[in-house]
Each structure stands twice: as structure tokens, then as C-alpha cells.
Amino acid sequence: MENIHAVYNGRFNFLNDIKISPLSRAYTFSDSVYEVIPFCNSNIIAFDKHITRLKNSCDSLSFKADVKKISSEILDLINKSNHANGYVYYQVSRGIDPIRSHMFDDSISLETFGYVVEHNFISKSLTVMICEDMRWQRCDIKSTSLLGNVLSMNNARNNGCDEVIMHKNNLITEGGASNVFFANDDCVFTPSLSNNILPGITRELLIEEIKQAGIKIEEGQFDVDDLLRAKSIWLTSSTKGLAQVKEISGKKTNLVNDHQLFKACEEIFVKNFLS
Ligand code: PDD
């Protein structure tokens, strides 16, 4: 495997050469937040929005992060990598405890870690599984506490699926690592922002562009039956872009392959961000 450029606590190194403490609170408590910042044809997609969200995640956990320094480390990683297409993973944890303790000592310093990898943004059509959203009540924070997502997604994979679409009390929340959009013949729909979903950057960019293009879009609360009635469903994320859902495991649907509204949204997104 190629050497992956990384940075740990401000020092650049190859990923394999970084040593971390097992008493990092990222390791013991998932007391950490992260970002995934994509770049395509050497253009960083919505850099400022990613940095703002990272700052919001840090503020939610009372991390006093040096956002300027983090921004410059992310840019340096992309420059060092020489990839045209890829993403940076960047994580901030509360720091390293002297000994594991739920209640943290305010004097420990934040721990930061990032790396850059190559990635291509061509998405395949997905088979998804609908499942109960078993996560905590602050899914709007981009925290590394992702066990609910991890267990649901691996259960889906064991059942031949690529992703999940989760619901809480029958209301659609989001994918395991993505936001959800669906459409009938004349309108696009997506769940409104709340504590139960991550405010996805791809979601935000797409909504802005859809509105500009004059396509009808409604943000609201939608249930599983609304989703099952849809002509088209797609998931969005910084690494998937827009990925069409071709099948919902075990469910009868009305999905139309390459529905006109999906194709229109995909074209807008590719034109504006991936070309
Ligand atoms: N995940 N919802 C969840 C739970 C996510 O994990 C992600 C992205 C999104 C989409 O957000 P954005 O458009 O800003 O990438 C929504 C990243 C890619 C990850 O964890 O790897």
C-alpha cells in the first residue's frame, strides 16, 4: 500500500508511522468529532462549510479548537498527497487522559489527527435496508460515536445490502453514512434538519442548486410509506456524491431506474462540484 500522508498533533508523518496513546479519549470514549473533506479535480468541495461544521461540532463538545491551524493542516495534506481526487479525514479528540475517567480534566490538550487518501466519486446504484434508528439524540453533531451506524450498516451488508435508511418512530431520518432524498414525478423531498440527522454538506449544496434550477423541493417529516411510494430515492455524502437507490431489501417499491428528477439533480451536482 502507498504511503498515506497524515498529521498528528500538528506533526506531518506517514499514517503507518504515527503512534497514539491508548488513553486517547477518542479511543476510550469516542470523545471526538471529525470531518470528511472531499476534493475533486484538485478543487476542494465546500471547504468553508466543512470547517464551519467542524467548528460547530467542536463547540458542541466544548473543544477549544484552533480552526485556523486545522484548516491549514488540511490544505497541506491535500498538497502533499498529489492526488487530484480524494478526501481528507480529520478528527479532533478531547485529548489523552492520565488514566481513564468519564469525567475529564479540563487541563488536557486537544488531540488532532488527519490523513488524505485518493478517492473516485463515481457512485454505483445501491440496495438498501430500512431499519430502526437506534442512535443517540444528538446525531447533528459529527461525532466519531458511530456504533449505531456501524452495527446497522454491517447488518445490512450481511443481508446483501450496501447501505441503510433509518427511521425513528416511523419517520425517516438518514442513511448510515449519508442523507436521504426521494422524489415523485414533480417534487424532491428530504427530511428537515433536526437533532436526529447530520446537517450534510452535500445535502445543503444540492438543495441550494435544486432551488436555483427551479426544481420543486420540500423539506419536512416523511414516513416509511412516503419513501416506499417514491419513484426515485438517492443518498448523498461527501464520498458518495449522489448515489441512486435501485432496491429496498424485502420491500415492493415504485422505483424507476434513472428517474428524470434524479438525473436532473445528478447532472446539476456533477456540473457544479465534480467536473
Ligand atoms: N459521512 N449522515 C451521516 C450519518 C454521515 O455519516 C454522513 C457523511 C452524511 C453526509 O454528510 P456530508 O454530505 O457532509 O458528507 C450524513 C462521511 C462521509 C463519513 O462518515 O465518512
Side-chain angles (χ1 to χ4, degrees), residues 34-36 50 53 89 135 139 142 146 149 166 174-179 197-203 236-239:
Y34 76 106
E35 267 304 319
V36 174
H50 282 280
R53 185 172 63 183
Y89 174 88
R135 302 172 300 160
C139 295
K142 201 164 171 60
L146 291 170
N149 310 53
M166 298 181 280
E174 60 180 340
S178 54
N179 292 111
I197 72 170
L198 184 80
I201 307 288
T202 321
R203 175 190 179 280
T236 63
S237 83
S238 296
T239 48

Side-chain angles (χ1 to χ4, degrees), residues 33-39 44-47 49-51 53-54 57 70 74 78 86-92 113-119 121 142-144 146 177 198-202 205 237-241:
V33 296
Y34 76 106
E35 267 304 319
V36 174
I37 303 115
F39 55 97
I44 306 176
I45 302 170
F47 185 65
K49 289 185 194 291
H50 282 280
I51 295 299
R53 185 172 63 183
L54 183 60
S57 302
I70 290 173
I74 292 170
I78 295 174
Y87 64 84
V88 171
Y89 174 88
Y90 199 97
Q91 175 182 302
V92 184
F113 159 57
Y115 64 82
V116 61
V117 284
E118 195 168 24
H119 179 72
F121 293 90
K142 201 164 171 60
S143 140
T144 64
L146 291 170
L198 184 80
I201 307 288
T202 321
L205 296 174
S237 83
S238 296
T239 48
K240 287 187 183 76

Side-chain angles (χ1 to χ4, degrees), residues 148-160:
N149 310 53
V150 166
L151 292 180
S152 299
M153 289 177 80
N154 282 278
N155 182 42
R157 193 198 40 202
N158 293 342
N159 286 282

